[in-house]
Amino acid sequence: MNESSITRPLDLLNRSLEARVLVKLKGGRELRGKLKGFDLHMNLILDEAEEVIDKNNNKLVGTVIVRGDNVILLSPAIKTETE
């Protein structure tokens, strides 16, 4: 699957499984972690997650489930064809 074949949000999420993503939440919180799974409501499972406090501080939180209606933005890492 190349980038031009990504036409729906779920295509991009599928492509981002097992990759590190940045998730911005309501209330200004940010999480960064490995995307392990998601559903149609955009509930997310993040592994090795950390809360981004500021540029120099992160708080390790481990494995978390993020409720989809709290997600404002998800920035995925795009895998190349060789990955």
Side-chain angles (χ1 to χ4, degrees), residues 4-80:
S4 63
S5 66
I6 298 173
T7 59
R8 298 173 298 174
L10 295 180
D11 294 338
L12 188 56
L13 288 175
N14 270 321
R15 186 107 183 251
S16 299
L17 285 171
E18 299 298 325
R20 298 210 24 102
V21 296
L22 173 68
V23 182
K24 292 190 178 188
L25 304 173
K26 290 179 181 176
R29 296 177 73 183
E30 294 183 11
L31 295 173
R32 191 179 299 136
K34 186 185 292 185
L35 183 63
K36 299 297 281 186
F38 64 92
D39 64 13
L40 293 176
H41 302 286
M42 220 166 120
N43 296 314
L44 309 172
I45 300 173
L46 297 178
D47 195 21
E48 302 169 13
E50 56 189 14
E51 183 177 0
V52 179
I53 308 296
D54 59 37
K55 283 190 173 189
N56 298 319
N57 290 325
N58 296 327
K59 177 183 173 186
L60 186 62
V61 292
T63 302
V64 295
I65 298 173
V66 179
R67 186 174 168 149
D69 62 353
N70 289 315
V71 175
I72 295 173
L73 175 139
L74 188 140
S75 179
I78 302 294
K79 294 180 183 177
T80 62

